[in-house]
Amino acid sequence: HSHSSYFENQHHSPGSQPDHEAIVVSMQLAREASWKKKVVLWTGSRRNCGCGWNYVEHRSEIPLDCRAFNKVATAPIDLLKKDLEIALGEFLMIVEEFSYINFAISPDANCERWRWDAHAMGLDELLRPLGAPKGPPLRSGHWFSRHFEHVSVKVNIETEETQFIWKVD
């Protein structure tokens, strides 16, 4: 039997199921794995934009969701931050002991460091303490929320709106 669960591509639903419903199902499965004391790895990126796309001849050959990340002079920090906020918000809905997140625009370590090393993205959200969860996530329609010792998080799975409300000490 397996002692871990790995989630990736949860943002792209096969068939006619809306993509946001695929995320809900993945979150439910991840929570179930956590309850069974399994290690959960949540791969949070919505895209795989490796540096290989930098070498295509025509920009139109680059997948649409990667165009802002390829053939660029500097890291698109605002787009990375938006992607990370959504991924982190979803992850915080499922996080329990032995839960981990991997966030990268590409798993290729031959690319620019910002594509695969979230710490090199310079995003403060990764450096702030969360504290212990105050309970399970709550759902109201497409909104999920969860409260931690130092932050409350809200995620709209359909619109991808994500809010972090940090407590001031």
Side-chain angles (χ1 to χ4, degrees):
H1 74 286
S2 176
H3 296 287
S4 62
S5 295
Y6 175 81
F7 294 86
E8 76 172 7
N9 296 322
Q10 64 268 25
H11 300 99
H12 303 288
S13 178
S16 61
Q17 181 184 39
D19 285 346
H20 67 276
E21 289 298 325
I23 297 166
V24 172
V25 170
S26 294
M27 287 169 43
Q28 290 169 333
L29 292 170
R31 299 255 326 137
E32 182 180 320
S34 293
W35 296 331
K36 294 178 179 178
K37 305 290 185 203
K38 292 185 177 193
V39 173
V40 172
L41 177 60
W42 185 266
T43 303
S45 182
R46 308 181 123 43
R47 59 192 97 240
N48 184 350
C49 302
C51 53
W53 293 115
N54 290 335
Y55 305 106
V56 300
E57 189 171 334
H58 300 288
R59 187 165 177 79
S60 62
E61 297 175 43
I62 300 172
L64 190 59
D65 67 344
C66 288
R67 290 184 186 164
F69 297 90
N70 290 88
K71 294 192 174 216
V72 295
T74 60
I77 293 298
D78 289 341
L79 291 171
L80 290 168
K81 183 173 180 170
K82 183 178 187 306
D83 272 14
L84 177 62
E85 285 178 349
I86 296 164
L88 188 57
E90 292 168 356
F91 174 69
L92 292 176
M93 296 305 132
I94 62 108
V95 69
E96 295 293 342
E97 188 177 14
F98 309 118
S99 298
Y100 302 91
I101 186 171
N102 176 40
F103 180 84
I105 297 303
S106 171
D108 186 349
N110 291 315
C111 293
E112 303 95 322
R113 188 172 179 148
W114 60 263
R115 288 186 191 277
W116 56 270
D117 182 356
H119 289 96
M121 294 176 193
L123 301 169
D124 292 336
E125 289 81 358
L126 296 175
L127 303 175
R128 298 183 80 168
L130 301 171
K134 292 188 172 185
L138 306 172
R139 182 179 184 179
S140 177
H142 295 296
W143 281 98
F144 286 79
S145 62
R146 193 163 187 201
H147 306 282
F148 295 82
E149 186 177 342
H150 301 292
V151 66
S152 291
V153 184
K154 295 180 179 181
V155 179
N156 186 310
I157 298 300
E158 184 177 39
T159 66
E160 299 183 341
E161 181 182 348
T162 305
Q163 300 171 4
F164 293 88
I165 302 133
W166 295 95
K167 295 183 177 52
V168 180
D169 294 328

